Amino acid sequence: MKKNQYEAAEQFLHEHREPGFPDCLHSYRVLHIALCIAAEEQEVDYDVLILACLLHDVGRAALGAAAGHAVVGAEMAYSFLKEENWSENVANHVKNCIKTHSRKSLEEPESLEAKILYDADKLDMSGAVGCARMVTLCTLEQLPMYEVDERGMPLPGEKEEAPSLFREVSKRRKRGVSYYTKEGKRLGEKRQDYWEGYFARVKKEVKNMAKKGTKILDKNINDAK
């Protein structure tokens, strides 16, 4: 890929970044992760992979966080690449990669490049970076860290509870994450322990301090007027 071709794709990315987000760093992280996965594979089409990673979320500019951004983004990327005189084969290949990168996609990734993109996108929500992203995303959506019961004790984030960071953590844990590539799976398993441990520690600290603090508070509050 020529430098001017890469820069044109970058420009398109920045012009169609998701509203409410200050940068496109997620797309760059996905690109870097994908390239690391690709280094462990054979016969990767790097032009397709680089373009697909850079452009995989451009559909969010049109749809926000709505389901279906992968389909919209795939069409946007295809039109852009054709305008930039990329071949039909490359444009269509990138389109298919983007169309199947989301967990909500109706089709599964088929090509090696599509599988690498899928894995890289999911890996960016794992490990320490995944913890930071989940907190950031919940903050942007103005969700509380957790809900409390009638006694003021933190709730764990079960299905019947209102949306919160703890609820999002529980949802992700229950649905799990699967990977298509060997290296993606290896990285995912390595990062998952940290992700699980971090949020378990957050919940434990909140619960323990609330429990002990409430007991002390009760001793210092009485009904006397």
Side-chain angles (χ1 to χ4, degrees):
M1 181 186 301
K2 295 179 180 179
K3 184 178 180 180
N4 66 307
Q5 292 175 313
Y6 177 82
E7 290 175 344
E10 275 193 305
Q11 181 63 31
F12 189 77
L13 164 64
H14 286 277
E15 290 173 354
H16 296 85
R17 63 189 183 188
E18 185 174 0
F21 282 76
D23 54 50
C24 303
L25 296 182
H26 164 66
S27 295
Y28 287 107
R29 288 195 304 272
V30 168
L31 172 59
H32 299 154
I33 295 170
L35 292 174
C36 291
I37 294 175
E40 303 299 321
E41 300 286 347
Q42 301 293 325
E43 299 182 1
V44 175
D45 188 325
Y46 279 91
D47 283 355
V48 168
L49 183 63
I50 292 169
L51 291 168
C53 288
L54 281 179
L55 306 179
H56 77 280
D57 269 353
V58 294
R60 289 189 181 278
L63 287 176
H69 77 277
V71 174
V72 173
E75 294 295 339
M76 291 171 63
Y78 176 83
S79 297
F80 163 74
L81 293 173
K82 292 296 291 182
E83 291 175 2
E84 292 294 314
N85 297 315
W86 284 93
S87 69
E88 172 66 22
N89 181 61
V90 169
N92 197 55
H93 195 161
V94 171
K95 173 183 174 180
N96 288 330
C97 288
I98 295 175
K99 185 171 65 174
T100 58
H101 87 272
S102 172
R103 184 179 57 82
K104 297 179 181 179
S105 299
L106 298 178
E107 303 174 41
E108 292 191 13
E110 295 183 354
S111 69
L112 175 57
E113 293 76 19
K115 292 175 180 178
I116 293 175
L117 169 59
Y118 182 96
D119 285 3
D121 188 51
K122 303 307 164 287
L123 282 166
D124 195 48
M125 190 54 92
S126 66
V129 172
C131 293
R133 280 197 72 202
M134 183 159 283
V135 171
T136 299
L137 291 172
C138 287
T139 300
L140 288 171
E141 293 177 14
Q142 298 184 328
L143 297 181
M145 182 181 291
Y146 51 85
E147 293 292 321
V148 297
D149 61 19
E150 64 279 1
R151 299 170 300 153
M153 290 294 102
L155 292 170
E158 298 301 327
K159 185 176 181 179
E160 65 278 3
E161 296 174 25
S164 68
L165 171 63
F166 283 9
R167 177 77 187 100
E168 292 302 309
V169 170
S170 295
K171 285 165 58 178
R172 184 181 185 279
R173 181 183 293 112
K174 288 180 179 179
R175 73 169 175 259
V177 183
S178 58
Y179 299 96
Y180 288 92
T181 66
K182 183 178 180 180
E183 181 66 3
K185 183 177 181 180
R186 186 188 74 80
L187 292 171
E189 291 176 346
K190 183 178 180 181
R191 293 183 175 203
Q192 186 64 18
D193 288 343
Y194 184 94
W195 191 93
E196 292 277 358
Y198 174 81
F199 284 115
R201 180 59 184 262
V202 171
K203 288 187 175 184
K204 182 178 180 180
E205 289 183 2
V206 168
K207 180 179 179 180
N208 287 349
M209 290 300 98
K211 185 176 181 180
K212 293 179 181 179
T214 298
K215 287 183 177 180
I216 297 171
L217 180 64
D218 289 343
K219 292 180 179 180
N220 288 275
I221 302 295
N222 58 64
D223 293 329
K225 295 183 179 179

